[in-house]
Amino acid sequence: MIRQILIGLVISALGIMMVWKTGWALSMIGRVEWAERTFGAGGSRTFFKLMGVGLILIGFIVMTDLFDIFFGDFILGLFGY
């Protein structure tokens, strides 16, 4: 229980850093050509902000132990169970 709360907090903190300090993420990872083509100028920054929001949501899902509920049914649906 404590372990998944800590893992969820780390994932959420990484997501918050990606949204808050987008320049930091951009300098660490670099530009994403797909995002630049798709979103236009500043597309990499938009991509990192969207990825950060996604990481925040996944972190909260892991913290609250809802991972199986959200993603378990999706994965089982892919394989027809």
Side-chain angles (χ1 to χ4, degrees):
M1 174 86 170
I2 299 295
R3 181 179 54 156
Q4 72 189 68
I5 290 173
L6 291 175
I7 291 170
L9 281 174
V10 168
I11 294 171
S12 294
L14 182 63
I16 289 169
M17 286 300 295
M18 287 182 77
V19 171
W20 184 28
K21 300 286 186 180
T22 307
W24 169 77
L26 189 61
S27 68
M28 293 292 288
I29 300 170
R31 297 205 177 274
V32 179
E33 291 301 321
W34 172 82
E36 294 291 331
R37 284 192 316 267
T38 305
F39 298 129
S44 292
R45 291 184 184 273
T46 304
F47 175 75
F48 286 126
K49 287 185 185 286
L50 290 173
M51 185 185 290
V53 170
L55 281 175
I56 293 168
L57 291 174
I58 289 172
F60 281 114
I61 287 170
V62 169
M63 262 193 290
T64 56
D65 198 25
L66 296 174
F67 196 78
D68 290 336
I69 293 172
F70 279 102
F71 297 108
D73 292 336
F74 174 72
I75 292 171
L76 289 176
L78 285 176
F79 297 110
Y81 290 106

